[in-house]
């Protein structure tokens, strides 16, 4: 049985680690590096980003792909970034990595890999508007799909969702959450790995049946 922590515990642990041990920018850098290193990328790569720290992880990956001379495009679902996300997106711009505003009707069929950085583990509800459209486009792409932390559209505690990304690989950040194993997780994730990036857990672990 895998050990997990709730979304609330992970949020508290992340905040505690940032306050006492590791800066938020460094943690984001570690998360993106872990995703990059866990994946066998098929070029070219599309990175689909929302507006939170999950998107920032994607910007870190974009920079690492560019350093490795792997063609990469960023698709933005929002022009709003977290502070740390903007820091890494500014680096992307300085490297002349292309950022494209995702629009209805766009396809990812020409890409070998798609990285899903739309929603994080705290998401609940139904992806609407351009967010739902992007999830549909990812699932229809035929590409090798990687989800950052959890598949966008799934709830991190329950693994439930009405519309969600179906991934070949999901790279959990910090510690697995129950949603990686419960609900629709088996249908959504072909493979999952966890990346320990130094977040110190402040709370109890949860044991779930795999």
């Amino acid at each position: 049985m895998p050990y997990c922590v709730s979304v609330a515990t992970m949020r508290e642990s992340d905040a505690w680690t940032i306050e006492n041990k590791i800066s938020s920018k460094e943690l984001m850098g570690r998360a993106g590096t872990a995703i990059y290193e866990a994946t066998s990328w098929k070029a070219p790569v599309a990175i689909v980003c929302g507006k939170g720290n999950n998107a920032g992880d994607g910007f870190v990956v974009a920079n690492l792909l560019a350093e490795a001379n792997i063609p990469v495009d960023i698709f933005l679902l929002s022009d709003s970034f977290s502070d740390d996300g903007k820091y890494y997106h500014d680096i992307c711009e300085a490297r002349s990595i292309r950022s494209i505003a995702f629009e209805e009707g766009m396809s990812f069929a020409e890409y070998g890999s798609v990285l899903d950085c739309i929603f994080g583990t705290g998401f609940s509800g139904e992806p609407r508007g351009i967010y739902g459209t992007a999830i549909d486009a990812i699932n229809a792409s035929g590409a090798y799909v990687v989800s950052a932390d959890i598949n966008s559209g799934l709830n991190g505690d329950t693994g439930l969702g009405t519309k969600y990304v179906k991934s070949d690989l999901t790279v959990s950040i910090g510690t697995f959450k129950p949603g990686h194993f419960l609900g629709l997780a088996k249908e959504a994730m072909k493979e999952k790995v966890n990346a320990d990036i130094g977040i110190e857990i402040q709370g109890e672990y949860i044991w779930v049946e795999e």
Side-chain angles (χ1 to χ4, degrees):
M1 293 188 295
Y3 64 85
C4 309
V5 298
S6 70
V7 170
T9 295
M10 179 54 71
R11 187 181 299 114
E12 292 165 6
S13 302
D14 188 70
W16 186 92
T17 301
I18 290 168
E19 183 175 351
N20 294 280
K21 296 285 185 178
I22 306 167
S23 73
S24 57
K25 284 187 177 65
E26 173 64 19
L27 274 184
M28 184 173 284
R30 291 186 185 188
T33 299
I35 294 164
Y36 171 78
E37 293 179 346
T39 303
S40 297
W41 299 99
K42 300 177 182 180
V45 180
I47 301 179
V48 188
C49 296
K51 60 183 178 181
N53 285 338
N54 202 240
D57 297 344
F59 302 147
V60 174
V61 174
N63 281 303
L64 293 170
L65 289 166
E67 287 179 6
N69 294 314
I70 298 173
V72 56
D73 290 326
I74 297 169
F75 287 84
L76 297 175
L77 304 181
S78 171
D79 58 4
S80 176
F81 307 126
S82 68
D83 289 344
D84 293 337
K86 184 178 186 307
Y87 171 81
Y88 284 107
H89 187 261
D90 286 348
I91 297 174
C92 290
E93 288 190 327
R95 290 183 180 275
S96 298
I97 298 171
R98 185 166 63 160
S99 287
I100 302 163
F102 180 82
E103 297 177 354
E104 189 168 353
M106 286 185 172
S107 167
F108 301 117
E110 67 186 86
Y111 292 92
S113 304
V114 178
L115 175 59
D116 155 36
C117 295
I118 302 174
F119 299 127
T121 56
F123 176 81
S124 61
E126 180 179 355
R128 299 184 183 278
I130 200 67
Y131 296 95
T133 301
I135 288 173
D136 288 338
I138 292 172
N139 290 338
S141 68
Y144 184 81
V145 175
V146 182
S147 285
D149 205 3
I150 198 166
N151 302 46
S152 290
L154 289 187
N155 181 285
D157 284 325
T158 67
L160 296 175
T162 57
K163 185 192 291 277
Y164 52 90
V165 170
K166 295 182 179 180
S167 69
D168 294 284
L169 174 66
T170 297
V171 184
S172 162
I173 301 299
T175 303
F176 282 124
K177 275 62 76 178
H180 288 110
F181 302 95
L182 301 178
L184 298 164
K186 287 185 179 180
E187 179 182 335
M189 308 171 198
K190 289 184 180 178
E191 181 184 0
K192 53 183 171 283
V193 297
N194 184 69
D196 182 352
I197 62 169
I199 297 172
E200 296 193 18
I201 299 302
Q202 306 296 306
E204 296 184 355
Y205 287 96
I206 301 169
W207 296 83
V208 299
E209 293 287 350
E210 190 169 2

